[in-house]
Amino acid sequence: QREVEEEAPMDEEDHRDDDPDAEEDAEGEDGSEDGEGDEGEAEGSKRVKGVVKDGVTKKGDPERKHMAMQTRAGLQFPVYRFAKALRKGGYAKRLAPGGAIYLTAVVEYVTAEILELAGNAAKDQNKKRIIPRHIQLAIRNDEELNKYMSNVTITGGGVIPNIHSQLLPRKAGSGKDGSLPMSAEF
């Protein structure tokens, strides 16, 4: 029986030579391979081997690093603050994390869209800074944003330049003989 027990670890080592990833799994925390050291084979039999998916490790592992929800979702805006506001708002008894992530993503997208258009408006006026006027021009010149923010007043934004067509001066040559058109109802 003793010969059989000694042969089994030898077979595992042979397989480790074939697979380069198995060598990393075989090394312990101190860098020594399983089977070496004071405890011998007892240490190797206690280790639980499993498949690590996408870098996820157990909670007790020192390798595990804390990642914020916004980092995992690939967002710049803080997901936690939106979740906190949703909880305090009392909109529902329970709140799934996906709801806060979705809301954060939507707000980030709309903000990025407005800033992009405002940046273009600032560039058109040869300015390097975005001021409220540029934001106003960006929102009012975009059909969807104008509809979405129709009831919003932007302080310092001014108004969109617009002259009603009836207020524009008439052209002199609009009649047949060059005179102004007359109404037949007089």
Side-chain angles (χ1 to χ4, degrees), residues 21 23 34 69 90 107 116 121 126 129:
D21 294 333
E23 221 175 290
D34 289 344
M69 267 197 285
V107 171
E116 181 183 353
N126 296 324
R129 290 185 185 164

Side-chain angles (χ1 to χ4, degrees), residues 3 31 43 46 62 76 89 95 98 128 154 163:
E3 292 175 6
E43 183 181 315
K46 288 181 182 178
Q76 300 298 315
L95 175 66
K128 292 187 178 183
I154 298 173
I163 300 173

Side-chain angles (χ1 to χ4, degrees), residues 68-71 73-86 100-101 103-105 107-108:
M69 267 197 285
Q70 68 200 43
T71 308
L75 300 172
Q76 300 298 315
F77 281 23
V79 175
Y80 176 74
R81 287 188 188 181
F82 282 89
K84 188 175 170 184
L86 282 173
I101 292 170
L103 177 66
T104 307
V107 171
E108 184 175 316

